[in-house]
Amino acid sequence: MNMFDIIALGELLIDFVPTGLTEQGHIIFEANPGGAPCNVLAMANQLGKKTAFIGKVGKDMFGVQLRETLKKVGIEDKGLIDDSEVNTTLAFVKNEENGERSFSFYRNPGADMNLKKNEIDLDLLSSCKVFHFGTLSMTHEQVREATKHAIDTAKQNKSLISFDPNLREPLWDDLNSAKEQMLYGCSMCDILKIEEKELEFLTGKTSIQEGIDILKSNSDIKIIFVTAGSEGSYVFYKDQMLYQPAFLNDKTIDTTGAGDTFYGACLAQILNFDIEEISNEHLQEILTFSNAAASILTTRKGAICSMPKVEEVLELIKIRNK
C-alpha cells in the first residue's frame, strides 16, 4: 500500500525576496523558505495529499528554519539530510521592470548539490505514487548521480515520474549540458510541466504546438502541462490540447513559486484519476483550479508557507465565473 502520494527530490533553499527600500535607498530582503520541489509539495498538501521530501540543507540557521518549515506545513522531512560542511543554498530574487525575475544564487557549493547516492532513503521511495524532480539537482555530477538513482528506484517501484525542468541558466557552466539533462528528464517522466521559454530552449520552436510535437515524438510522456505566464496554461494529453487563460489581477506582488503552485495543484488533482483515462472536462477543471491557485499565490510573499487553501481557490473561480 502506498504511504505517500508525492515524494520530491531536489533543492530546498532560502529565497530572499525584495520587500522595499531602507531610508538610505538600500533593498530590504525577506528570507522566505523556497525551492521548486517543496513548493510543489506544499500546494499538493493543501489538496489533502500526503507528501515527503528528499534533499539536503546546511547545519546552519537557514537549514533549521527550512526543516521547521517542512514540519509546519506537513511535508515529511525524514529524507532531509543536514550537512555540517556546506551551508544552505541561498537565492536572491530581483523583480525586473518587464515583470520577469532574475536570480543570484549562493551555491558554490550549496548543501542541496551535496546530496549523495547512498544518502537517498530507499524505503521512503518504495512508498509513493508519484516521484517528482527537476534539473537543479542535476547541475553537478554527485547530486545528478543521486537523482538518477532515485528515479530508477521509483520506476522500479512503479511510481509515476514527474519532471519540471525549472531551468536556471546561471547555475549551469554549459547550457548544452542543461539541455542534455532536460532531455533526459523528459525521456524518464510520465508527467511534465514546462514553461513556454523552456520549451523553446529545448526544441528550438517558438510555436508551443510544434515544440510539443517534437517532445512527444521522442518520449512516452503521458501528460504535458505548459505554462505561459500571463497568457495562461495548456495541457497536452493523448491527441488533445486544452487551454485556460490566466487569472490576472492587479494585486500581484511576487510571482516566485507561481509555476510550482500551478503544478502542485495539477499533480494533486491528477492523482484523483486513472492517468490513462482523464476526460477533457476534468483536464479543463484541473487547469482552471491550478491557474486560480497560482494567481492567489502571486498576491503573497514567499511560496511554501503561502499556498492558498482550497476554499480560497474555489471562491476566486466562482467570482470570475459570475
Side-chain angles (χ1 to χ4, degrees):
M1 181 176 180
N2 289 314
M3 290 179 57
F4 291 95
D5 294 300
I6 308 172
I7 293 178
L9 179 151
E11 70 279 8
L12 180 59
L13 46 78
I14 298 292
D15 281 321
F16 283 89
V17 180
T19 60
L21 300 174
T22 66
E23 292 182 0
Q24 293 77 25
H26 304 308
I27 300 174
I28 301 171
F29 287 98
E30 181 178 310
N32 288 306
C38 275
N39 293 342
V40 169
L41 296 182
M43 186 62 226
N45 271 27
Q46 294 285 31
L47 275 78
K49 302 307 178 185
K50 190 173 182 181
T51 64
F53 177 70
I54 297 172
K56 182 176 277 193
V57 292
K59 209 167 188 177
D60 51 31
M61 61 183 291
F62 294 122
V64 171
Q65 177 187 354
L66 289 167
R67 186 179 290 278
E68 290 177 347
T69 297
L70 295 196
K71 292 178 178 179
K72 177 182 176 182
V73 300
I75 299 171
E76 172 60 57
D77 70 331
K78 66 180 292 188
L80 180 63
I81 308 294
D82 298 316
D83 194 315
S84 59
E85 298 180 357
V86 181
N87 288 336
T88 301
T89 297
L90 309 178
F92 287 79
V93 184
K94 180 181 179 183
N95 295 319
E96 305 290 355
E97 292 183 2
N98 62 2
E100 296 294 325
R101 294 166 300 140
S102 59
F103 296 84
S104 293
F105 289 92
Y106 287 76
R107 187 189 187 236
N108 193 26
D112 71 289
M113 56 188 277
N114 229 28
L115 184 67
K116 300 177 179 65
K117 176 180 177 180
N118 62 6
E119 293 173 325
I120 301 292
D121 189 329
L122 298 182
D123 289 337
L124 197 61
L125 278 177
S126 69
S127 59
C128 70
K129 297 175 184 176
V130 174
F131 174 74
H132 173 67
F133 72 106
T135 60
L136 266 70
S137 65
M138 302 177 78
T139 56
H140 295 76
E141 184 175 352
Q142 180 174 270
V143 69
R144 183 185 307 142
E145 181 184 23
T147 302
K148 293 186 175 183
H149 179 55
I151 295 167
D152 290 341
T153 302
K155 272 189 168 291
Q156 290 169 11
N157 293 324
K158 308 301 182 184
S159 299
L160 291 171
I161 307 299
S162 163
F163 176 54
D164 174 6
N166 193 29
L167 178 64
R168 295 288 178 259
E169 294 186 10
L171 296 180
W172 294 90
D173 294 329
D174 178 5
L175 288 182
N176 287 326
S177 178
K179 181 178 287 188
E180 179 184 342
Q181 298 308 320
M182 288 170 70
L183 289 172
Y184 166 81
C186 290
S187 73
M188 299 298 286
C189 73
D190 301 289
I191 311 166
L192 171 70
K193 193 279 281 186
I194 189 166
E195 197 270 333
E196 183 181 17
K197 291 182 180 177
E198 293 170 342
L199 183 62
E200 181 180 350
F201 169 80
L202 200 56
T203 65
K205 300 296 183 180
T206 56
S207 161
I208 290 178
Q209 184 63 66
E210 290 180 6
I212 292 298
D213 289 342
I214 290 175
L215 282 188
K216 292 178 73 172
S217 68
N218 294 298
S219 68
D220 295 317
I221 308 171
K222 299 180 186 299
I223 305 179
I224 302 176
F225 293 97
V226 179
T227 55
S230 62
E231 297 300 316
S233 61
Y234 304 78
V235 62
F236 295 83
Y237 179 67
K238 297 184 178 178
D239 295 326
Q240 302 294 315
M241 184 276 283
L242 298 174
Y243 166 74
Q244 179 65 37
F247 281 69
L248 300 178
N249 60 65
D250 56 4
K251 297 180 181 179
T252 293
I253 58 173
D254 181 17
T255 60
T256 303
D260 305 324
T261 304
F262 167 85
Y263 193 43
C266 288
L267 284 182
Q269 292 173 94
I270 285 173
L271 281 170
N272 297 331
F273 303 96
D274 178 346
I275 196 170
E276 302 291 347
E277 297 294 336
I278 307 178
S279 69
N280 283 357
E281 180 183 1
H282 286 136
L283 288 171
Q284 200 74 58
E285 290 174 355
I286 288 172
L287 283 184
T288 300
F289 185 96
S290 302
N291 279 5
S295 178
I296 294 172
L297 191 279
T298 68
T299 66
R300 303 168 178 176
K301 292 289 184 182
I304 293 178
C305 297
S306 302
M307 294 296 165
K309 293 180 170 56
V310 172
E311 296 77 15
E312 294 178 286
V313 179
L314 295 177
E315 180 62 23
L316 176 58
I317 295 172
K318 181 180 177 181
I319 291 171
R320 293 298 175 91
N321 285 339
K322 284 184 178 178

